[in-house]
Amino acid sequence: MMILSILVGIAAGFAAVAIKKSVHLISHFVHTYLGQEHGYIYLISPTVGIFLTVLFIKYVIRRPVRHGIPNVLYAISKNEGKMNRHNMFSSIVTSALTVGFGGSVGLEGPTVSTGAAIGSNVGQLFRLNYRQIKLLLGCACAAAMSAIFKAPIAAIVFSLEVIMLDLTLAAIVPILLASISAVIVSYIFMGQEVVYPFELFHTYEMIDLVYYVFLGIVAGFVSSYFTRIYIFMEKWFEKLEKHRIRLPVGGALLGILLFFFPALYGEGYDVINSALSGNTNFIFENTIFQNWSGSIWAAFILLTVIIAFKVVATSLTFGSGGVGGIFAPTLFMGANTGLLFANIVNKLGFHQLPVQNFALIGMAGLIAGVLQAPLTGLFLIADLTGGYEMFLPLMITATASFATAKTFERHSVYTHLLAMRKELLTHDKDQAVLTMMEVKNLIETDFATIDPKATLGDLVNVVSDAHRNLFPVVDSNGRMHGMIKMDDIRKIIFKPELYKTTMVKDLMYMPEYFISPDDSMEDLVEMFRKSSRFNIAVIDHGKYLGFISRANAFTAYRNQLKMFSGDY
């Protein structure tokens, strides 16, 4: 496992390099050959990139390329850690086209998905079990994050916190090796410079900590806004029945938005670096608002609009068919939230805050709130910028943001859909095991059935050959009309005079409790608890499928728990 973790780390590192280099190459092509009039580039090039992405998916891959991290979480929870082979390269091409042409998303999700697919397929190649494949997935995800952000410590925390990997010695060593291997590859091909250069002129005063609490609360509200708008836009695009409508509608809206607010173009790293330096000139550059550049309140208003519209631009990119991640948009909104907060406080004269520091800490606040991963936000920003001297403000803001966002949003943007479908794994082993189990795999079909038109005599003949004490009453079309328990007929089965006159339909009853094969294991467990029954009927739209026994369900649970929790 240690050797494989190193190999997976190296492969994920090369994937991160490939994605980054591809985006830079495509971006250079766009600005060189599509002209230097930035306004017009912003209007059309993102749509061109998304169009090429859609063509690649439809005619080359011919399978959907799902969002990166949710796709990984789904593979862990419902697909035994197995991911399709095309995910090892499809996300590289599609995200490079989307972001290279200016789609308002990041590269982190596709990089993580690519790394995870490599880890999954390596595990399948060596016929590893579920626990080992899951570990390789976690190693690959950590490696991808380590390489793309050059943040090896934060990558390990991310794997444990977001990918829900267990914090055990058997897991931590391979993750460390994968993260180290990936970041070395990144250093070799992309240099050792930090992603976001940050110069710390002074740390903080004790009075500043109060304002970091307020920044965390504001970041929590912005995170809740991000999550709700993202989910709303996702549902809005789902209502557009034809996929061919989504691209022109979403692309046109995205182009218009970027034309008026060029800061929303692409990943936004330049804008983030401007915010980290305390510079607000990017708000007016190449825009129709240049004449307002002398007004500080105009800057505040436009900065608020840019923060509010970033998630809209990101959602439009995804809804139109683009592929990317939400890390970069989250960092973008965080840096600008911190910048706006500090400038407003300074302008109102409450206290003079270090604007650059608050822009930096705001990034951690949004990561903690949007991803609901406070430790990832804390270590990521410290790793990205070398800002470990600001660890206490980072902790305060990340915690306050997480607590605020969690008050309004039960799940993050990564997990809301999986949670709605009850497919989300957590660190709660009991819940995780139930999530991985499926009702349809527990159905027992060895119950002797009887037709509703049959007599007691026919039922006695069935009973004589049966080895179960329940007899579902099912017609020739497979529809269940009821059931009969042995206890209900025990007193009359030895009375031959009733065999022809007593009908099965007069003896049966419809079970009070039954379940569908599509229901979750949590539903089944709750039904067993409420009913105190030993067997629950499984009915699919009126069709009889079988029963699930309490004993069989418990045995399957124990086997799954053993598989899930054993040593690597």
Side-chain angles (χ1 to χ4, degrees):
M1 288 305 297
M2 292 183 185
I3 294 173
L4 288 179
S5 67
I6 294 173
L7 295 176
V8 166
I10 294 172
F14 277 111
V17 171
I19 289 179
K20 274 288 189 183
K21 296 291 186 181
S22 299
V23 168
H24 290 159
L25 183 64
I26 294 173
S27 181
H28 176 73
F29 166 82
V30 169
H31 288 86
T32 301
Y33 295 100
L34 295 186
Q36 295 299 323
E37 292 296 329
H38 287 186
Y40 295 104
I41 289 180
Y42 297 149
L43 192 60
I44 63 171
S45 70
T47 304
V48 173
I50 296 171
F51 176 67
L52 293 175
T53 299
V54 172
L55 289 180
F56 180 80
I57 293 173
K58 186 174 182 179
Y59 295 106
V60 179
I61 302 299
R62 297 182 181 179
R63 293 182 180 181
V65 179
R66 297 182 176 88
H67 294 315
I69 294 174
N71 191 30
V72 177
L73 294 175
Y74 176 81
I76 293 173
S77 67
K78 285 297 180 183
N79 205 28
E80 298 180 342
K82 297 176 182 177
M83 297 182 68
N84 292 325
R85 293 180 181 177
H86 75 80
N87 289 123
M88 292 190 289
F89 65 89
S90 58
S91 291
I92 295 177
V93 178
T94 53
S95 63
L97 290 171
T98 299
V99 179
F101 278 89
S104 192
V105 291
L107 297 172
E108 309 76 26
T111 307
V112 170
S113 179
T114 301
I118 293 172
S120 173
N121 282 276
V122 167
Q124 294 176 61
L125 177 66
F126 286 95
R127 300 184 182 278
L128 303 183
N129 60 37
Y130 169 76
R131 295 189 306 276
Q132 294 167 325
I133 291 178
K134 181 186 175 185
L135 175 58
L136 282 186
L137 277 170
C139 290
C141 290
M145 286 291 292
S146 179
I148 198 77
F149 279 126
K150 301 178 185 176
I153 298 175
I156 295 169
V157 174
F158 168 82
S159 184
L160 297 173
E161 189 174 36
V162 178
I163 306 301
M164 305 296 176
L165 210 62
D166 293 333
L167 181 58
T168 63
L169 184 61
I172 205 70
V173 175
I175 295 175
L176 280 167
L177 293 173
S179 183
I180 293 168
S181 304
V183 80
I184 290 175
V185 171
S186 181
Y187 284 159
I188 292 172
F189 291 95
M190 295 191 291
Q192 297 186 41
E193 299 81 9
V194 295
V195 177
Y196 298 109
F198 180 80
E199 189 173 356
L200 185 65
F201 293 102
H202 62 273
T203 55
Y204 56 89
E205 302 173 4
M206 293 304 295
I207 186 63
D208 294 345
L209 298 182
V210 176
Y211 290 93
Y212 283 115
V213 174
F214 287 125
L215 174 62
I217 295 172
V218 171
F221 281 112
V222 175
S223 299
S224 179
Y225 165 81
F226 185 109
T227 302
R228 295 194 178 194
I229 293 298
Y230 183 89
I231 294 173
F232 170 80
M233 295 289 291
E234 188 178 64
K235 292 179 178 178
W236 183 73
F237 272 102
E238 288 177 355
K239 293 179 181 178
L240 298 178
E241 296 181 359
K242 296 182 179 179
H243 287 273
R244 64 184 64 181
I245 298 177
R246 298 178 183 180
L247 176 59
V249 171
L253 292 174
L254 177 62
I256 293 171
L257 197 57
L258 299 184
F259 180 81
F260 285 101
F261 304 102
L264 303 177
Y265 183 88
E267 292 179 277
Y269 281 155
D270 292 338
V271 172
I272 294 174
N273 284 326
S274 295
L276 291 177
S277 66
N279 183 10
T280 58
N281 292 335
F282 69 87
I283 301 172
F284 302 100
E285 290 176 355
N286 301 317
T287 71
I288 62 175
F289 309 109
Q290 287 181 343
N291 294 333
W292 298 359
S293 58
S295 171
I296 187 66
W297 291 110
F300 291 167
I301 293 172
L302 288 178
L303 193 53
T304 302
V305 172
I306 287 172
I307 294 169
F309 277 139
K310 180 61 177 178
V311 64
V312 177
T314 299
S315 300
L316 288 171
T317 303
F318 284 135
S320 302
V323 176
I326 66 167
F327 254 92
T330 303
L331 294 173
F332 177 100
M333 291 178 66
N336 286 295
T337 297
L339 179 69
L340 177 63
F341 177 86
N343 272 303
I344 289 178
V345 171
N346 291 345
K347 181 64 177 177
L348 295 177
F350 294 127
H351 183 64
Q352 288 302 304
L353 301 174
V355 175
Q356 298 94 324
N357 291 6
F358 273 76
L360 172 71
I361 306 301
M363 296 164 69
L366 261 290
I367 289 291
V370 173
L371 274 61
Q372 296 193 2
L375 293 178
T376 298
L378 195 160
F379 283 99
L380 179 63
I381 302 309
D383 251 5
L384 284 178
T385 60
Y388 279 94
E389 295 175 75
M390 297 293 294
F391 216 68
L392 181 58
L394 279 168
M395 292 173 64
I396 291 172
T397 301
T399 303
S401 176
F402 172 74
T404 303
K406 194 69 174 176
T407 302
F408 298 99
E409 310 301 329
R410 186 177 180 184
H411 301 285
S412 71
V413 291
Y414 285 150
T415 61
H416 79 276
L417 188 58
L418 292 174
M420 286 174 57
R421 298 196 304 237
K422 298 184 178 180
E423 296 172 348
L424 177 64
L425 287 187
T426 70
H427 286 292
D428 182 341
K429 276 192 171 58
D430 180 68
Q431 187 274 334
V433 170
L434 290 177
T435 299
M436 294 171 61
M437 296 174 66
E438 295 187 359
V439 168
K440 62 184 179 182
N441 295 332
L442 301 176
I443 301 174
E444 301 170 57
T445 59
D446 58 338
F447 290 82
T449 62
I450 186 72
D451 191 274
K453 298 178 182 178
T455 63
L456 176 60
D458 299 323
L459 178 59
V460 169
N461 291 330
V462 170
V463 170
S464 64
D465 296 325
H467 62 280
R468 306 297 289 261
N469 292 328
L470 289 177
F471 304 94
V473 181
V474 182
D475 63 22
S476 58
N477 295 320
R479 184 166 294 275
M480 186 172 185
H481 292 257
M483 58 184 285
I484 298 173
K485 292 189 297 185
M486 177 64 77
D487 289 344
D488 297 334
I489 59 173
R490 196 178 303 276
K491 294 182 180 180
I492 61 173
I493 57 174
F494 299 109
K495 297 181 179 180
E497 65 273 16
L498 300 177
Y499 284 3
K500 294 184 178 180
T501 58
T502 303
M503 306 300 294
V504 164
K505 63 181 181 181
D506 298 324
L507 300 173
M508 69 182 184
Y509 68 95
M510 194 64 187
E512 180 183 357
Y513 296 96
F514 57 88
I515 197 166
S516 164
D518 297 324
D519 288 337
S520 70
M521 280 298 299
E522 291 182 357
D523 295 329
L524 177 63
V525 170
E526 180 63 15
M527 199 166 293
F528 274 126
R529 187 191 67 81
K530 288 169 55 179
S531 67
S532 299
R533 299 286 194 274
F534 290 98
N535 295 279
I536 300 291
V538 184
I539 303 175
D540 186 18
H541 301 291
K543 298 284 187 177
Y544 165 76
L545 298 182
F547 284 84
I548 297 178
S549 68
R550 185 190 294 261
N552 187 42
F554 181 73
T555 300
Y557 171 84
R558 291 291 301 169
N559 291 336
Q560 190 77 24
L561 181 63
K562 183 178 179 181
M563 185 272 288
F564 184 82
S565 304
D567 294 332
Y568 293 100

